[in-house]
């Protein structure tokens, strides 16, 4: 079908509109009197309705249509907005979202929305939304058995135009015999006749419902044809097992006057205004941005990665050949490809708002469920991150926010008791710093009780009472992200904090990031996530161990040092050095990676000092080769879970070098 | 129906002839420099750069617990593409592509050659040659591998 072409665009735009609906509804809730916001919502709903009707998603169009009516009533100040009303509209938006998701999954975007529709209808009439949907629905179905079928704007236009062109518009009710066994087959035959003589504009129940035999014995369709009513009737009656056919002339204006007159007229008006408005808006944007399929960007990135590898190779060749001209050209090419790299990486950057924008809604729901009062403050939503990171970071953030709301911020009563303002604050802050992006989740809730965490850790056997005394606050907080804490049985609020936090940490670390916790008891906690800007091209320090090459990500290196063997001390049965006043354990890569070859007896050791969070370690290598930009490649699906190796890269000479997973080594 | 063929690639391993369906095979390469993967099972020789793709390499001799032999000029790496995995198999030599009539394939008898029955999909006689058809899923199964990885990290 041709429609497929537009499906992607439809899905993208629907998602945007649903997001816009959500955002504006939240604003509206805070500022119910603001008609400008209602107008924004109305606009989104209207566009969504138009799009879904064009694409043939009837349920979607119907629901948005109802929503639109309500919004229209609100902005014309016929109906006053109340909090329960906002809830219903939110529910409607949720239903819309579910339908769009269904369409994304290849479904038909169908959903039973009768309850919502009737709620919206009653709201439109100015009644408070009550959940007694049944009678209203009945009323509606009773109405539809007579000659009334709901028509939307799109269908009305078609009917109008066909009428102008001299076609007849009929409403045909076909009744099958009660003894009819193959209802679907009869329906099919009837439709075949209809399609020969004209066009079916609408059918009640819908065609799919009819095909599924999801109806009693009669159905009604709206038919546009040149044939006379009698002819139509005769033709259909020829189909066996058809009891009766009623053909009525359909007057379009009856439909218009049928509905709430004012509202419809209002819609008409705005409709004539709106397309221009939107057109203008669209053309303005289209000159500045274009939509590019993400696959193409990925393909571009892959090609560029190949180029980076070749660049490395060329640099190596030119250095060994020592030809001036070649060197100059290669240098120039390196500079240009560096710029190119920046541009490509920038293209893949998306604002973190894509993740943040669903949080206000989530927080609203959660606080309602938890009966808490929390003000969510978002800062730095325009901070940009690589798409791959964005895709992964959503779930951990959801988890942390849930945690903060559930276990961090106290209930208003408790807060009052503690002398804090009843409304809690949850701050979400994203910002760039160096080659990293930081995301801060800060609440002013209960904080983490050091003693409780320690007690738990000791009872879990994670550490002993003696050890616990030496733990800094920071180290204690890190404990709640240990996997041992996740299955903890319920000890007040702390155990809850541990649920799944190890998963959060693992996800973040697998992205090459880290997470630290800071907390003051009774004043709140801060979770700070540090993430790399990009995942695919990274800077590494290339080192040599015997005949093998290992790459250490520059992001985790503090510095490199040459250490005299005499300066190595032993503590807890481990080799340690004194590095700028800190005791740093040494890790020999030869041992960790079991590198074959003769043991080199040298008085001096080359050490790469790495840091992960608060912990440091020194990696002993044989020699440093130098700093290099490399393309991160995975080891594939066959080799998974290789200890202390996070991936591989291809060096200038075409050989593969492994990238050291520093997280695993700092322990 | 009777004249269906299975296009297969024939290779030598420990003086026996084996076959794999040709549509699994992405390429056949001479030996290339391999980067060792620390902590991987012994039959995984490492990874190599195959036109920009980091590809793990399995020594089939060691996978089947045969006696280890030096690589020679005839040694080949057969690159298999299967189930989203790119894996290279080191074999003693790779020969021709032949059409095996599917009717001539028989289920593996209890004792055939020296490869464990698990890895064998069937055997067939083809013009006086005995070909052993391998089960690629078993060869690339990572179950055993994951066990080993766990043992090494502990």
């Amino acid at each position: 079908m041709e429609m497929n072409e537009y499906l992607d665009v439809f899905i993208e735009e629907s998602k945007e509109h649903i997001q816009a609906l959500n955002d504006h509804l939240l604003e509206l809730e805070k500022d119910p009197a603001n008609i400008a916001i209602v107008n924004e919502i109305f606009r989104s709903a209207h566009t969504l309705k138009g799009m879904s009707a064009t694409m043939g998603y009837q349920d979607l169009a119907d629901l948005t249509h109802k929503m639109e009516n309500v919004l229209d009533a609100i902005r014309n100040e016929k109906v006053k907005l109340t909090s329960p009303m906002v809830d219903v509209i939110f529910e409607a938006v949720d239903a819309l979202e579910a339908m769009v998701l269904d369409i994304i999954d290849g479904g038909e975007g169908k959903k039973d929305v009768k309850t919502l529709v009737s709620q919206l209808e009653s709201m439109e009439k100015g009644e408070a939304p009550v959940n007694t949907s049944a009678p209203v629905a009945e009323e509606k179905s009773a109405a539809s058995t007579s000659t009334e079928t709901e028509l939307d704007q799109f269908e009305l236009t078609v009917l109008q135009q066909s009428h102008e062109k001299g076609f007849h518009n009929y409403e045909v009710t076909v009744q099958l015999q009660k003894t009819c066994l193959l209802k679907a087959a009869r329906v099919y035959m009837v439709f075949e006749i209809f399609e020969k003589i004209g066009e079916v504009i609408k059918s009640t129940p819908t065609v799919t419902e009819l095909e599924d035999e999801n109806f009693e014995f009669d159905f009604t369709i709206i038919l546009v044809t040149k044939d006379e009513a009698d002819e139509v009737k005769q033709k259909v009656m020829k189909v066996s097992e058809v009891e009766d056919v009623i053909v009525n002339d359909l007057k379009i204006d009856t439909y218009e006057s049928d509905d709430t007159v004012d509202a419809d007229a209002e819609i008409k008006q705005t409709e004539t205004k709106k397309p221009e408005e939107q057109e203008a808006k669209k053309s303005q944007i289209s000159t500045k941005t274009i939509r590019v399929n993400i696959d193409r960007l990925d393909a571009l990135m892959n090609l560029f990665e190949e180029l980076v590898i070749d660049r490395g190779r060329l640099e190596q060749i030119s250095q060994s050949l020592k030809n001036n001209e070649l060197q100059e050209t290669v240098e120039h090419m390196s500079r240009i490809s560096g710029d190119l790299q920046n541009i490509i990486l920038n293209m893949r950057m998306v604002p973190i708002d894509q993740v943040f924008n669903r949080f206000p809604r989530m927080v609203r729901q959660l606080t309602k469920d938890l009966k808490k009062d929390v003000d969510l403050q978002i800062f730095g939503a325009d901070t940009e991150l690589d798409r791959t990171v964005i895709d992964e970071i959503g779930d951990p953030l959801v988890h942390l926010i849930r945690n903060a709301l559930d276990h961090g911020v106290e209930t208003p009563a408790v807060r009052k008791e503690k002398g804090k303002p009843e409304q809690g604050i949850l701050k979400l802050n994203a910002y760039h710093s160096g080659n990293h992006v930081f995301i801060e989740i800060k609440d002013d809730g209960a904080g983490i009780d050091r003693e409780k965490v320690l007690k738990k850790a000791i009872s879990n056997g994670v550490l002993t009472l003696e050890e616990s005394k030496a733990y800094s606050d920071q180290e204690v907080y890190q404990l709640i992200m240990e996997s041992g804490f996740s299955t903890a049985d319920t000890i007040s609020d702390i155990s809850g904090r541990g649920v799944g936090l190890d998963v959060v940490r693992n996800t973040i670390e697998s992205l090459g990031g880290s997470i630290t916790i800071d907390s003051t008891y009774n004043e709140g906690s801060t979770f700070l996530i540090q993430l790399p800007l990009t995942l695919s091209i990274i800077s590494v320090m290339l080192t040599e161990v015997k005949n093998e090459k290992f790459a250490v990500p520059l992001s985790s290196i503090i510095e490199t040092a040459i250490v005299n063997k005499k300066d190595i001390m032993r503590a807890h049965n481990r080799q340690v050095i004194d590095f700028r006043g800190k005791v740093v354990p040494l890790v020999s890569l030869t041992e960790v990676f079991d590198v074959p070859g003769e043991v080199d007896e040298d008085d001096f050791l080359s050490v790469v000092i790495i840091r992960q969070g608060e912990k440091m370690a020194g990696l002993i290598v044989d020699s440093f080769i130098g700093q290099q930009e490399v393309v991160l490649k995975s080891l594939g699906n066959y080799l998974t879970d290789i200890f202390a190796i996070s991936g591989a890269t291809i060096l200038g000479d075409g050989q593969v070098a492994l990238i050291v997973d520093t997280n695993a080594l700092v322990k | 129906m009777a004249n269906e063929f299975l296009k297969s690639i024939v290779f030598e391993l420990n003086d026996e002839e084996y076959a794999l369906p040709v549509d699994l095979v992405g390429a056949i390469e001479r030996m290339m420099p391999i980067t060792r993967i620390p902590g991987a099972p012994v039959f995984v020789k490492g990874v190599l750069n195959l036109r920009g793709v980091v590809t793990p390499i399995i020594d089939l001799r060691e996978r089947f617990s045969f006696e280890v032999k030096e690589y020679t000029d005839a040694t080949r790496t057969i690159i298999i593409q299967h189930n989203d995995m790119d894996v290279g198999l080191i074999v003693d030599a790779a020969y021709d592509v032949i059409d095996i009539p599917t009717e001539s394939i028989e289920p593996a008898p209890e004792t055939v050659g020296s490869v464990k029955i698990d890895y064998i999909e069937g055997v067939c006689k083809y013009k006086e040659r005995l070909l052993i058809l391998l089960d690629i899923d078993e060869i690339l199964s990572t179950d055993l591998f994951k066990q080993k990885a766990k043992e090494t990290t502990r």
Side-chain angles (χ1 to χ4, degrees):
Chain A
M1 281 252 277
E2 264 179 87
M3 283 298 189
N4 280 341
E5 222 178 294
Y6 306 109
L7 192 60
D8 285 346
V9 181
F10 169 73
I11 288 170
E12 273 310 306
E13 292 195 354
S14 316
K15 279 203 226 155
E16 277 169 26
H17 284 298
I18 288 173
Q19 187 54 48
L21 284 173
N22 267 326
D23 289 348
H24 289 125
L25 276 172
L26 283 169
E27 277 179 46
L28 185 65
E29 203 180 20
K30 283 180 197 151
D31 189 6
N34 195 334
I35 294 300
I37 303 176
V38 181
N39 276 330
E40 282 297 321
I41 301 173
F42 184 84
R43 194 165 300 157
S44 292
H46 183 76
T47 317
L48 195 59
K49 185 189 79 176
M51 286 193 315
S52 37
T54 320
M55 295 294 292
Y57 296 117
Q58 209 48 55
D59 288 5
L60 203 60
D62 286 349
L63 187 58
T64 24
H65 179 67
K66 286 284 172 305
M67 236 171 84
E68 217 183 276
N69 286 348
V70 174
L71 292 165
D72 196 56
I74 296 170
R75 68 173 183 177
N76 290 326
E77 291 174 8
K78 280 190 196 157
V79 179
K80 232 177 121 54
L81 189 72
T82 57
S83 176
M85 277 171 78
V86 177
D87 283 344
V88 174
I89 300 178
F90 265 129
E91 249 175 73
V93 175
D94 278 345
L96 292 178
E97 197 171 0
M99 287 189 231
V100 173
L101 284 178
D102 183 46
I103 292 167
I104 294 171
D105 291 338
E108 290 175 34
K110 291 206 176 298
K111 195 172 192 297
D112 184 25
V113 289
K114 279 209 186 80
T115 329
L116 272 172
V117 167
S118 59
Q119 277 178 321
L120 287 170
E121 271 172 357
S122 61
M123 275 162 60
E124 187 194 341
K125 288 176 199 132
E127 297 159 21
V130 255
N131 275 3
T132 51
S133 52
V136 186
E138 254 168 48
E139 196 182 295
K140 198 192 150 208
S141 64
S144 64
T145 46
S146 67
T147 52
E148 228 167 296
T149 322
E150 292 281 330
L151 285 180
D152 68 22
Q153 216 66 41
F154 174 71
E155 286 156 359
L156 276 174
T157 335
V158 172
L159 289 178
Q160 238 157 9
Q161 280 172 358
S162 61
H163 184 71
E164 280 159 20
K165 283 187 184 147
F167 285 85
H168 298 291
N169 298 328
Y170 294 124
E171 186 178 61
V172 187
T173 306
V174 180
Q175 198 166 8
L176 298 178
Q177 282 169 12
K178 300 256 191 283
T179 50
C180 174
L181 286 177
L182 291 165
K183 288 195 284 185
R186 300 299 166 218
V187 168
Y188 177 77
M189 290 164 81
V190 170
F191 267 78
E192 208 173 35
I193 291 171
F194 285 149
E195 265 149 35
K196 255 183 221 155
I197 56 175
E199 205 170 336
V200 176
I201 301 298
K202 187 181 176 97
S203 99
T204 334
T206 60
V207 180
T208 25
E209 276 171 324
L210 289 174
E211 278 169 3
D212 294 343
E213 306 199 344
N214 222 342
F215 66 108
E216 286 291 302
F217 289 97
D218 53 346
F219 58 93
T220 306
I221 59 120
I222 290 172
L223 180 72
V224 175
T225 177
K226 284 212 152 155
D227 285 8
E228 292 299 325
D230 278 353
E231 285 175 66
V232 175
K233 185 172 174 169
Q234 271 169 16
K235 279 179 182 162
V236 179
M237 282 303 279
K238 276 188 192 148
V239 178
S240 48
E241 291 187 310
V242 170
E243 178 89 42
D244 196 14
V245 179
I246 306 161
V247 183
N248 287 328
D249 226 347
L250 188 73
K251 292 265 188 311
I252 310 151
D253 25 301
T254 59
Y255 264 90
E256 278 173 318
S257 55
D258 238 17
D259 237 348
T260 37
V261 186
D262 302 44
D264 241 22
E266 195 61 36
I267 292 171
K268 275 268 165 59
Q269 260 183 25
T270 44
E271 208 153 30
T272 43
K273 258 190 278 164
K274 205 108 53 50
E276 296 158 39
E277 224 173 274
Q278 252 166 9
E279 211 81 9
K281 216 173 167 188
K282 263 199 186 129
S283 63
Q284 223 177 22
I285 297 166
S286 64
T287 51
K288 284 179 184 163
T289 58
I290 52 164
R291 261 175 217 274
V292 180
N293 191 324
I294 208 81
D295 290 343
R296 289 195 195 167
L297 280 187
D298 284 346
L300 181 64
M301 190 68 194
N302 283 341
L303 285 175
F304 184 72
E305 286 171 358
E306 300 279 312
L307 201 64
V308 171
I309 293 165
D310 284 344
R311 177 179 76 189
R313 189 171 309 175
L314 265 178
E315 278 168 354
Q316 216 166 36
I317 294 169
S318 83
Q319 260 167 25
S320 60
L321 284 181
K322 293 200 168 30
N323 177 315
N324 258 348
E325 254 178 291
L326 178 66
Q327 264 171 349
E328 266 173 40
T329 320
V330 169
E331 265 170 37
H332 185 241
M333 197 197 81
S334 296
R335 268 202 306 279
I336 289 189
S337 69
D339 291 347
L340 193 60
Q341 179 178 331
N342 278 337
I343 290 172
I344 293 176
L345 289 182
N346 264 329
M347 270 175 15
R348 294 169 52 88
M349 294 295 214
V350 272
I352 199 161
D353 189 43
Q354 285 202 0
V355 183
F356 279 7
N357 60 20
R358 58 176 143 134
F359 292 150
R361 199 44 224 291
M362 192 184 96
V363 170
R364 179 184 183 275
Q365 194 61 46
L366 273 176
T367 46
K368 275 213 161 156
D369 294 347
L370 293 166
K371 299 198 173 48
K372 288 180 183 176
D373 189 7
V374 179
D375 180 25
L376 175 70
Q377 302 176 352
I378 293 181
F379 302 94
D382 53 351
T383 309
E384 287 184 327
L385 262 171
D386 192 276
R387 190 184 65 86
T388 33
V389 185
I390 292 272
D391 288 348
E392 299 289 324
I393 198 66
D395 289 344
L397 283 180
V398 166
H399 209 111
L400 289 173
I401 290 176
R402 278 175 168 278
N403 255 317
L405 290 179
D406 199 2
H407 309 292
V409 180
E410 313 91 329
T411 54
V414 175
R415 290 183 67 90
K416 207 173 174 186
E417 224 168 85
K418 285 183 180 172
K420 293 193 219 177
E422 280 178 38
Q423 189 181 48
I425 294 171
L426 182 65
K427 241 190 234 173
L428 209 55
N429 189 10
Y431 53 92
H432 279 271
S433 177
N435 246 338
H436 288 93
V437 169
F438 291 87
I439 304 170
E440 205 178 64
I441 298 138
K442 187 174 185 172
D443 67 65
D444 66 344
I448 302 169
D449 186 345
R450 177 194 157 100
E451 295 311 315
K452 274 190 182 167
V453 175
L454 282 179
K455 226 160 93 189
K456 187 80 206 161
I458 293 164
S459 71
N460 274 5
V462 180
L463 70 165
T464 64
L465 188 65
E466 283 308 304
E467 283 173 320
S468 74
K469 281 177 184 151
Y471 266 55
S472 72
D473 283 355
Q474 275 288 327
E475 283 169 318
V476 173
Y477 303 147
Q478 290 289 330
L479 279 177
I480 67 170
M481 290 189 291
E482 292 294 329
S483 51
F485 264 74
S486 61
T487 47
D489 46 59
T490 41
I491 290 193
S492 73
D493 53 349
I494 299 161
S495 58
R497 274 200 173 240
V499 174
L501 275 182
D502 58 320
V503 181
V504 171
R505 191 183 60 180
N506 287 345
T507 313
I508 289 166
E509 281 178 358
S510 73
L511 291 171
S514 64
I515 176 165
T516 48
I517 307 174
D518 201 10
S519 176
T520 315
Y521 188 52
N522 266 338
E523 276 175 36
S525 328
T526 308
F527 288 74
L528 186 65
I529 300 170
Q530 181 186 345
L531 290 168
L533 272 182
T534 175
L535 291 179
S536 39
I537 296 184
I538 59 170
S539 289
V540 295
M541 168 65 113
L542 214 54
T543 64
E544 203 160 26
V545 181
K546 305 273 166 50
N547 286 324
E548 298 185 359
K549 285 174 183 146
F550 291 96
V552 185
L554 219 55
S555 56
S556 53
I557 298 180
I558 302 174
E559 61 176 276
T560 56
I562 305 288
V563 174
N564 195 324
K565 266 197 175 156
K566 280 184 241 159
D567 294 336
I568 296 178
M569 297 168 287
R570 297 194 77 82
H572 292 291
N573 223 8
R574 288 184 76 176
Q575 290 190 318
V576 297
I577 50 165
D578 176 37
F579 175 75
R580 298 188 199 289
K582 277 194 169 171
V583 176
V584 176
L586 288 181
V587 179
S588 161
L589 283 194
T590 319
E591 283 170 27
V592 172
F593 292 140
D594 214 1
V595 186
E598 281 168 40
V599 182
D600 200 15
E601 282 305 329
D602 199 342
D603 281 345
F604 293 93
L605 297 174
S606 304
V607 176
V608 183
I609 312 279
I610 55 169
R611 188 174 77 174
Q612 208 63 51
E614 288 298 298
K615 291 179 184 166
M616 302 207 315
L619 305 182
I620 307 174
V621 298
D622 286 356
S623 61
F624 309 127
I625 297 173
Q627 185 183 330
Q628 208 173 334
E629 297 256 293
V630 297
V631 178
L632 187 62
K633 300 227 172 210
S634 95
L635 289 176
N637 290 334
Y638 183 67
L639 290 169
T640 46
D641 297 334
I642 297 287
F643 175 71
I645 299 291
S646 60
T649 185
I650 295 166
L651 299 177
D653 58 3
Q655 295 248 25
V656 180
L658 301 178
I659 296 171
V660 177
D661 178 10
T662 49
N663 278 326
L665 294 178
V666 184
K667 280 275 153 76
Chain B
M1 286 302 270
N3 292 331
E4 280 184 16
F5 294 100
L6 183 68
K7 228 182 205 351
S8 301
I9 207 146
V10 177
F11 59 90
E12 189 190 306
L13 195 68
N14 212 21
D15 300 325
E16 286 171 305
E17 284 190 310
Y18 294 86
L20 275 172
V22 86
D23 36 313
L24 290 175
V25 179
I28 297 178
E29 302 282 336
R30 287 173 182 277
M31 288 306 287
M32 290 190 280
I34 295 176
T35 303
R36 191 184 65 94
I37 302 274
V42 66
F43 55 79
V44 177
K45 295 322 286 173
V47 288
L48 58 74
N49 164 23
L50 187 78
R51 289 175 281 276
V53 179
V54 176
T55 314
I57 302 298
I58 295 172
D59 189 324
L60 262 198
R61 276 181 166 269
E62 295 192 48
R63 183 75 175 90
F64 295 152
S65 313
F66 293 162
E67 157 206 9
V68 180
K69 222 179 79 180
E70 285 276 299
Y71 300 142
T72 64
D73 269 356
T75 307
R76 292 288 181 277
T77 308
I78 302 179
I79 309 294
I80 303 287
Q81 286 162 348
H82 181 58
N83 278 354
D84 273 343
M85 286 192 273
D86 281 34
V87 176
L89 304 176
I90 299 178
V91 298
D92 290 355
Y95 300 131
D96 38 357
V97 175
I98 57 167
D99 287 322
I100 302 177
T102 37
E103 59 198 15
S104 73
I105 300 174
E106 290 165 28
E110 282 304 313
T111 50
V112 58
S114 28
V115 175
K116 272 214 305 208
I117 187 99
D118 303 0
Y119 301 121
I120 299 173
E121 190 142 299
V123 288
C124 84
K125 268 227 177 85
Y126 179 80
K127 294 182 186 163
E128 302 307 307
R129 291 154 84 177
L130 180 74
L131 302 177
I132 304 168
L133 276 75
L134 291 174
D135 182 348
I136 194 68
D137 284 311
E138 276 301 322
I139 293 172
L140 298 188
S141 153
T142 49
D143 295 346
L144 173 83
F145 169 84
K146 274 180 183 143
Q147 255 173 30
K148 287 214 170 168
K150 263 187 191 156
E151 278 162 28
T152 43
T153 47
R154 264 171 200 175

